[in-house]
Amino acid sequence: MPPGSAERRPHARLEGTASFLRVSQAPASLLAAPPQGGAGPASTDTGRKRPGGRDGGPAAAGMASSDLMLPAGASDLDEDENALGSGPGLQEPLQLGELDITSDEFILDEVDVHIQANLEDDLVKEALKTGVDLRHYSKQVELELQQIEQKSIRDYIQESENIASLHNQITACDAVLERMEQMLGAFQSDLSSISSEIRTLQEQSGAMNVRLRNRQAVRGRLGELVDGLVVPSALVTAILEAPVTDPRFLEQLQELDAKAAAVREQEARGTAACADVRGVLDRLRVKAVAKIREFVLQKIYSFRKPMTNYQIPQTALLKYRFFYQFLLGNERATAREIRDEYVETLGKVYLSYSRSYLGRLMKVQYEEVAEKDDLMGVEDTAKKGFFSKPSLRSRNTIFTLGTRGSVISPTELEAPILVPHTAQRGEQRYPFEALFRSQHYALLDNSCREYLFICDFFAVSGPAAHDLFHAVMGRTLNMTLKHLESYLADCYDAIAVFLCIHIVLRFRNIAAKRDVPALDRYWEQVLALLWPRFELILEMNVQSVRSTDPQRLGGLDTRPHYITRRYAEFSSALVSINQTIPNERTMQLLGQLQVEVENFVLRVAAEFSSRKEQLVFLINNYDMMLGVLMERAADDSKEVESFQQLLNARTQEFIEELLSPPFGGLVAFVKEAEGLIEHGQAERLRGEEARVTQLIRGFGSSWKSSVESLSQDVMRSFTNFRNGTSIIQGALTQLIQLYHRFHRVLSQPQLRALPARTELINIHHLMVELKKHKPNF
């Protein structure tokens, strides 16, 4: 602001305000109408800038800038705005805000603020710089506004017809729109009513859906009920006319059973419709029961025909297992009749077959069997007497296993059963355990088949199946047990009984694998007969050995005794069998028998006068028993270990006894000299020079003949050449060791100067010479 303008500031405000009022109070139509002649503010040059003058202050400049908001030459308001924004020196319109000078509360300070803000505008600044006279410009604007107004009036008069036509058209459109409004209102009301109807329909549809589902459920239940109660003609025809072997009969019989069960269930629920079909179903049931009863009984009666393979009708009955199930559910009395008839018929068939087969089997047993006198400790002489039966040709056969152990091998255990009449034609004979195996394998096979048939055909399991099985097979099993008990009462063949025990143990495992527990009680009963008899026979043999008097056995020699041979064969047989399924009780009994046999061997050895003969007898018997045991028993068994220790001890003693006659003086001197040296009395050897010289010369002159005589004596004394060779080898080895010890004694200072030392035989030379006397077997 120029200096000195502060005093004129109120007047400037009033002038600016008056100019603003003239502009702001102009009609809107005039403001929007373009000026005549298109003259704009740029053509006016009356305005001059008067710095420091009355009208040249900031207020006047502000008002002049306000007047520039109405540019000339614009055709309408939009073009005015565009022109104002794009004219020279005018970038954008003035922003006067919401200035209200008509209010009584107008405050000049606020106007001053607005004016000051407008003065800072770029357009106002430009107008002030060019020196435009705002009053002339204002008048020019007013003139232009009047011209625009007049032109607008003329235009309006010229377009009056069009305006009237437009008015009429607007009125007509208004009427049309009013009718459309009415139609839309009616349509809206119709839509609201339709919406309510749709909701009603939805509710009705939901209710109908529920009723439909309920009716479908009822229909399904009723359909099942009707289907279960209605008796079709195909069912009636099949039950009345078709044979029982026809597949249609079995199919319709199952349908009849299902309908009868359904009727019983519905009757329990109180369904009245069951009375309509009860009579028809009862008549069909009676007819079906009669046909089934006749058919099944005919099959059962076919078992009674001689030489009939009853497994064939059994297999045929399994195809019609439903017949019995139908009878069990609809006619229990008939089902019980069929079951009782089956039990009675098959029980007799099995009993007859088993008795006949067992009787024929016993005819192909060995004629020579062990008796109560055929024990291990009994003298091996024939019994004499008119009424006495001839004894076994050789009692050793009942103590020898031989090939009898193959009966429990996997291949022969389940081999085909023996055919007695074929064996009789071929004059074949078998031991008792082979007959026992064949009989019980047939019993096992038939029992397993029968148990499985009973469980399948009669639809039983658990205790009920066991009871029905024993009702069929009970008499056969009891007959077999009685026969076994009767046979064992006079049986003295321990190996046969022991093999029978192991046959039963294996058959019990086979029955368990076949899932047939019905024979478990029978196996226990058989073992309860076999074990006590086996233990009794074993105890009898132990007692016979214990009570044997060597003096009553006749002439004795140093060869193995027949009682020890019996024991060796018998013990190895039981040990080899027991190794498959070990039993501690058997090992205890064999231990008792071994103790008695060892005592018996010692008693017999005591009958010989010389110790050498006693040792030969002991070694021969121990060697024989050890050899037999090692063939069948394991090397680490108790029996093998025990006899090995006994044999080694007696062999060492016999070697010392063997070397004593020819080399006894040398042995005695070496032991005495070693004792003196050990106790520090080696000086006493000086007095033994003559004895040592005699020993050196005696050994050198006789050792070859002594060794030769020793070898011949050993080979004559021992039946087992391998054992004799081992004894000779041991004796020669001990002789070399003895002579080597003799050399060490002579190397002592007390005997080192002995002249006879030059006659000593070199150790290596002696070893080479002794090898020549070693027998080769």
Side-chain angles (χ1 to χ4, degrees):
M1 183 178 294
S5 62
E7 297 84 3
R8 296 190 296 270
R9 187 173 184 180
H11 302 284
R13 290 178 179 174
L14 292 176
E15 290 177 0
T17 302
S19 300
F20 181 79
L21 287 175
R22 287 196 301 271
V23 177
S24 62
Q25 290 177 359
S29 60
L30 296 179
L31 292 174
Q36 298 291 334
S43 62
T44 304
D45 57 354
T46 57
R48 297 289 188 270
K49 181 179 180 183
R50 292 175 294 180
R54 184 177 177 85
D55 299 327
M63 294 307 295
S65 300
S66 300
D67 293 341
L68 292 177
M69 295 180 64
L70 299 174
S75 62
D76 50 29
L77 184 57
D78 295 334
E79 292 177 0
D80 181 21
E81 291 174 357
N82 292 333
L84 183 60
S86 60
L90 300 176
Q91 300 300 325
E92 57 184 355
L94 296 177
Q95 301 295 330
L96 298 179
E98 298 179 355
L99 182 60
D100 185 7
I101 61 175
T102 62
S103 175
D104 294 338
E105 299 177 357
F106 179 72
I107 302 175
L108 293 178
D109 292 337
E110 295 180 0
V111 175
D112 186 32
V113 172
H114 286 289
I115 292 173
Q116 185 65 31
N118 289 330
L119 288 175
E120 296 178 358
D121 189 85
D122 294 337
L123 185 59
V124 176
K125 290 179 181 180
E126 184 65 26
L128 291 176
K129 288 180 181 180
T130 57
V132 176
D133 190 351
L134 296 180
R135 288 179 299 178
H136 292 288
Y137 183 74
S138 176
K139 290 179 182 180
Q140 182 181 357
V141 169
E142 287 180 359
L143 179 59
E144 291 176 356
L145 289 175
Q146 290 175 1
Q147 292 174 356
I148 291 171
E149 182 179 3
Q150 291 175 1
K151 185 178 179 180
S152 298
I153 292 171
R154 286 194 299 273
D155 291 338
Y156 185 78
I157 293 172
Q158 290 176 0
E159 299 292 333
S160 60
E161 293 180 359
N162 295 332
I163 293 173
S165 176
L166 179 62
H167 176 70
N168 293 333
Q169 292 178 3
I170 291 173
T171 303
C173 287
D174 191 20
V176 172
L177 290 175
E178 184 177 0
R179 289 196 302 273
M180 288 292 293
E181 183 181 4
Q182 292 175 357
M183 291 174 63
L184 291 175
F187 184 66
Q188 184 179 7
S189 64
D190 291 342
L191 286 178
S192 63
S193 63
I194 289 174
S195 177
S196 63
E197 290 177 0
I198 290 175
R199 285 195 296 271
T200 303
L201 289 175
Q202 286 179 342
E203 293 175 357
Q204 292 177 357
S205 175
M208 292 176 65
N209 243 348
V210 173
R211 291 197 296 273
L212 177 62
R213 286 196 297 269
N214 292 338
R215 290 180 180 179
Q216 288 177 343
V218 172
R219 179 183 178 183
R221 297 291 297 276
L222 287 176
E224 293 177 0
L225 178 61
V226 172
D227 291 341
L229 297 180
V230 171
V231 181
S233 59
L235 189 151
V236 177
T237 303
I239 296 299
L240 295 179
E241 299 178 0
V244 293
T245 55
D246 192 339
R248 291 188 301 115
F249 180 83
L250 180 60
E251 180 181 352
Q252 296 302 326
L253 184 66
Q254 294 174 347
E255 182 69 18
L256 177 61
D257 184 62
K259 289 187 179 298
V263 168
R264 288 194 295 270
E265 182 181 357
Q266 295 300 328
E267 283 180 342
R269 297 179 179 178
T271 304
C274 297
D276 298 337
V277 296
R278 167 53 68 183
V280 177
L281 291 178
D282 286 344
R283 289 192 293 273
L284 290 175
R285 178 180 57 80
V286 171
K287 181 63 176 177
V289 167
K291 295 174 70 172
I292 291 172
R293 176 181 178 276
E294 181 181 0
F295 172 76
V296 176
L297 288 179
Q298 286 179 355
K299 289 292 184 183
I300 294 175
Y301 294 153
S302 65
F303 294 149
R304 302 177 180 178
K305 296 179 181 180
M307 307 301 293
T308 298
N309 186 356
Y310 56 88
Q311 296 177 6
I312 296 176
Q314 268 189 341
T315 305
L317 277 178
L318 284 178
K319 299 179 181 178
Y320 306 102
R321 63 176 65 88
F322 182 74
F323 288 173
Y324 184 80
Q325 298 177 13
F326 178 81
L327 295 178
L328 199 62
N330 296 274
E331 192 64 36
R332 286 188 172 272
T334 305
R336 187 179 302 108
E337 177 189 3
I338 289 177
R339 187 186 64 184
D340 293 344
E341 191 66 30
Y342 177 85
V343 169
E344 183 66 21
T345 300
L346 266 295
K348 291 180 179 179
V349 169
Y350 281 123
L351 179 61
S352 175
Y353 281 3
S354 298
R355 182 183 289 118
S356 174
Y357 182 68
L358 184 58
R360 293 178 181 179
L361 272 180
M362 298 308 295
K363 292 180 181 179
V364 296
Q365 186 184 9
Y366 281 131
E367 295 179 356
E368 295 180 352
V369 295
E371 298 180 357
K372 63 180 179 179
D373 294 328
D374 297 322
L375 299 175
M376 189 176 299
V378 176
E379 184 180 356
D380 193 10
T381 56
K383 293 184 296 181
K384 298 180 180 180
F386 183 78
F387 295 102
S388 62
K389 292 173 59 179
S391 179
L392 293 175
R393 295 189 182 95
S394 176
R395 283 195 178 91
N396 293 332
T397 56
I398 65 173
F399 302 106
T400 304
L401 182 62
T403 59
R404 298 171 67 183
S406 61
V407 73
I408 59 174
S409 64
T411 55
E412 292 194 19
L413 188 66
E414 298 185 58
I417 62 175
L418 300 176
V419 182
H421 61 273
T422 303
Q424 286 179 344
R425 286 199 300 266
E427 296 183 356
Q428 295 178 345
R429 292 292 183 266
Y430 301 93
F432 175 72
E433 64 270 9
L435 307 180
F436 182 87
R437 196 276 321 170
S438 182
Q439 174 200 1
H440 279 79
Y441 185 67
L443 183 64
L444 170 68
D445 200 27
N446 290 325
S447 297
C448 291
R449 187 181 297 107
E450 184 64 29
Y451 180 79
L452 297 176
F453 173 83
I454 287 173
C455 294
D456 196 2
F457 185 79
F458 292 102
V460 291
S461 60
H466 288 193
D467 295 341
L468 189 56
F469 171 81
H470 285 288
V472 175
M473 300 293 297
R475 286 177 289 181
T476 301
L477 298 178
N478 291 333
M479 183 273 298
T480 306
L481 287 173
K482 289 181 180 178
H483 175 269
L484 179 62
E485 184 178 8
S486 174
Y487 180 86
L488 291 177
D490 294 328
C491 179
Y492 296 92
D493 190 349
I495 293 180
V497 177
F498 197 54
L499 286 172
C500 291
I501 290 174
H502 280 263
I503 290 172
V504 172
L505 295 177
R506 285 161 174 77
F507 280 166
R508 184 171 61 181
N509 293 335
I510 293 174
K513 291 179 180 179
R514 296 182 183 181
D515 197 17
V516 179
L519 285 173
D520 291 347
R521 186 173 63 182
Y522 173 76
W523 300 131
E524 296 298 330
Q525 291 174 338
V526 173
L527 291 175
L529 294 176
L530 292 173
W531 274 116
R533 188 62 187 178
F534 172 71
E535 294 176 1
L536 176 62
I537 298 173
L538 210 56
E539 290 174 355
M540 292 174 64
N541 281 280
V542 172
Q543 182 62 33
S544 68
V545 174
R546 182 186 299 120
S547 60
T548 299
D549 186 3
Q551 295 180 356
R552 297 177 56 187
L553 297 177
L556 299 176
D557 54 30
T558 58
R559 292 176 296 177
H561 200 273
Y562 61 85
I563 292 180
T564 58
R565 185 176 297 279
R566 291 175 185 174
Y567 164 76
E569 295 288 347
F570 182 74
S571 178
S572 62
L574 296 187
V575 169
S576 62
I577 296 172
N578 194 62
Q579 285 176 348
T580 57
I581 302 178
N583 180 266
E584 188 63 28
R585 177 58 180 163
T586 303
M587 301 309 298
Q588 294 177 359
L589 294 174
L590 286 176
Q592 296 177 9
L593 182 61
Q594 179 183 349
V595 171
E596 295 301 330
V597 169
E598 290 178 2
N599 293 335
F600 166 76
V601 171
L602 294 177
R603 291 200 304 271
V604 175
E607 296 295 322
F608 293 95
S609 58
S610 66
R611 181 58 180 168
K612 181 179 177 181
E613 291 180 337
Q614 294 177 359
L615 292 174
V616 170
F617 177 80
L618 293 174
I619 291 174
N620 278 331
N621 283 271
Y622 291 154
D623 178 65
M624 182 273 299
M625 289 187 287
L626 182 62
V628 175
L629 285 171
M630 291 182 66
E631 289 180 2
R632 298 186 179 274
D635 294 340
D636 57 349
S637 64
K638 294 180 180 179
E639 291 81 6
V640 171
E641 183 179 358
S642 174
F643 284 113
Q644 186 68 59
Q645 293 176 357
L646 291 173
L647 178 62
N648 292 338
R650 300 288 83 80
T651 299
Q652 184 62 34
E653 186 179 354
F654 176 76
I655 290 175
E656 294 178 359
E657 190 71 22
L658 190 66
L659 294 176
S660 179
F663 308 106
L666 184 64
V667 172
F669 173 74
V670 170
K671 289 182 178 180
E672 293 176 6
E674 289 177 345
L676 293 174
I677 295 171
E678 183 179 357
H679 292 86
Q681 301 176 1
E683 290 296 330
R684 294 176 58 182
L685 295 176
R686 295 184 183 277
E688 300 290 339
E689 294 178 355
R691 181 182 176 186
V692 171
T693 301
Q694 183 181 0
L695 290 175
I696 293 174
R697 291 173 180 173
F699 182 85
S701 61
S702 64
W703 71 270
K704 289 184 178 181
S705 59
S706 299
V707 169
E708 184 67 29
S709 176
L710 178 148
S711 299
Q712 294 177 0
D713 189 16
V714 169
M715 299 310 296
R716 286 194 302 267
S717 300
F718 298 101
T719 56
N720 186 353
F721 292 107
R722 187 181 301 275
N723 184 38
T725 302
S726 175
I727 292 175
I728 292 174
Q729 183 67 29
L732 296 178
T733 302
Q734 191 164 338
L735 178 60
I736 293 173
Q737 293 175 353
L738 175 65
Y739 202 65
H740 183 67
R741 290 161 59 191
F742 183 60
H743 270 258
R744 285 205 305 267
V745 171
L746 294 182
S747 64
Q748 295 295 320
Q750 293 79 7
L751 300 175
R752 190 176 301 168
L754 186 67
R757 288 185 74 252
T758 57
E759 301 179 20
L760 284 173
I761 301 174
N762 185 270
I763 294 294
H764 298 287
H765 175 72
L766 181 63
M767 293 174 61
V768 172
E769 291 297 327
L770 289 178
K771 282 184 179 181
K772 297 178 181 180
H773 294 81
K774 178 182 177 181
N776 296 320
F777 294 102

